[in-house]
Amino acid sequence: MKLPESMQSKGLNVAIIMDGNGRWAARRGLPRVAGHRAGIASVRRIVEHAVDRGIARLTLYAFSSDNWRRPASEIQSIFWLLRAFLRLETQRLLRRGVRLQTIGRRDRLPKPVLREIEKAESATATGKCLHLCVALDYSSQESIARAAVGVTESLTNIGSSSLDIFKLMLTQALMMEGGEVDLLIRTGGEKRLSDFLLWESAYAELLFTDCMWPEFDKNDFDAALEEFHRRERRFGGLPTATLQSAASTV
Ligand code: IPE
Ligand code: IPE
Ligand code: MG
């Protein structure tokens, strides 16, 4: 789908909860791991398309801190696929100007995966087109709590107890991770955030689709961007039409 010039999405911060891999596989009589494999192919497609559309930042929820509750064999397969993705895709990401980073805890990740992440992060560090953040062993509540502890320590050191300064510093600490989200998409039909970018999505436009992640393609992404551009963001203010009619009656 070709978007008109005005609908190009330069500079947007998009986040995606990539859900539905397991159900996609089950519907085809396949093991869940086949869904995760197909999900990786979807990641490749969507990252390419995000670059083409001029998206500034794309944060992909790949593994939540609660996903450790899954069977060990599924967790192993997910990390194996992730490692293979990083090994195979880093050069392509580099060529396309993508800077890859992960957010979330690193201390519980399998060591070979961590090594591959570090290699990919340093190889793509100069990427200027798209900032790709992969959320791994990620919990938004935990990252807010960690940031709050850090900010409290800094403020205690400087002897400040201002709530405004606390909020500003907390926002700064968290924005380093996910940035302020413009559009948050969740595939797979569920309508919840599952502990993803809670602070950063304060004014995000939310878009839930029944499409399973392995089936989410460029057209679906464009349709989501179109829907985003149709919405009016007010950030607590009044609709533009109301303001205009108020101005014309003064
Ligand atoms: C999302 O798909 C991928 C991960 C959580 C790793 P799911 O594996 O949650 O797929 P469903 O929700 O069971 O279909
Ligand atoms: C959210 O999906 C996490 C990822 C997509 C990585 P889940 O499938 O884990 O979420 P719940 O359990 O349905 O809330
Ligand atoms: Mg799920």
Side-chain angles (χ1 to χ4, degrees):
M1 190 194 310
K2 180 98 181 75
L3 290 182
E5 202 59 35
S6 63
M7 302 264 282
Q8 299 282 318
S9 298
K10 286 215 180 340
L12 282 189
N13 183 343
V14 179
I16 308 183
I17 302 175
M18 309 184 289
D19 196 22
N21 292 350
R23 279 163 289 159
W24 178 88
R27 283 173 195 173
R28 286 162 180 74
L30 298 169
R32 290 180 61 84
V33 61
H36 295 309
R37 192 172 301 118
I40 293 272
S42 213
V43 168
R44 200 174 293 125
R45 273 199 308 269
I46 294 305
V47 169
E48 290 274 329
H49 200 55
V51 176
D52 292 340
R53 288 286 175 249
I55 304 290
R57 189 171 188 140
L58 179 68
T59 306
L60 300 177
Y61 205 6
F63 191 85
S64 79
S65 294
D66 288 322
N67 288 148
W68 291 112
R69 295 180 181 164
R70 296 189 180 198
S73 58
E74 177 168 346
I75 295 174
Q76 255 174 14
S77 312
I78 291 172
F79 281 116
W80 191 89
L81 286 166
L82 187 81
R83 194 176 154 212
F85 170 83
L86 291 170
R87 209 180 306 133
L88 296 171
E89 292 298 312
T90 299
Q91 286 312 311
R92 197 210 300 233
L93 295 176
L94 188 60
R95 275 199 304 277
R96 297 240 48 200
V98 178
R99 173 178 164 214
L100 180 135
Q101 275 192 317
T102 65
I103 56 172
R105 280 181 68 163
R106 292 186 171 218
D107 56 310
R108 299 189 292 197
L109 297 178
K111 292 287 168 291
V113 174
L114 190 57
R115 272 197 298 277
E116 217 60 59
I117 289 171
E118 286 167 354
K119 270 199 243 165
E121 283 180 337
S122 66
T124 63
T126 54
K128 296 273 183 291
C129 296
L130 171 72
H131 189 172
L132 175 64
C133 296
V134 180
L136 269 182
D137 194 357
Y138 177 82
S139 152
S140 184
Q141 289 187 341
E142 186 174 317
S143 73
I144 293 168
R146 277 175 192 276
V149 169
V151 170
T152 306
E153 281 169 3
S154 323
L155 288 181
T156 309
N157 289 341
I158 59 172
S160 167
S161 61
S162 155
L163 188 62
D164 284 344
I165 296 180
F166 182 86
K167 203 175 151 196
L168 187 73
M169 287 176 70
L170 191 59
T171 303
Q172 275 173 352
L174 290 164
M175 290 309 149
M176 304 288 289
E177 291 195 339
E180 200 168 317
V181 178
D182 295 305
L183 169 65
L184 189 146
I185 302 169
R186 181 173 187 143
T187 62
E190 312 292 359
K191 293 180 181 61
R192 55 177 170 258
L193 298 179
S194 303
D195 202 6
F196 187 49
L197 300 177
L198 303 179
W199 184 284
E200 297 87 339
S201 299
Y203 275 101
E205 294 297 328
L206 307 181
L207 194 139
F208 299 99
T209 165
D210 288 334
C211 179
M212 299 293 143
W213 175 248
E215 286 170 338
F216 191 78
D217 63 15
K218 295 175 177 185
N219 292 336
D220 297 312
F221 199 9
D222 277 343
L225 293 172
E226 280 197 65
E227 166 70 25
F228 171 82
H229 287 292
R230 274 196 297 272
R231 295 191 190 173
E232 186 183 14
R233 304 181 81 192
R234 295 194 284 275
F235 300 98
L238 293 177
T240 314
T242 311
L243 286 172
Q244 279 164 353
S245 69
S248 65
T249 55
V250 170

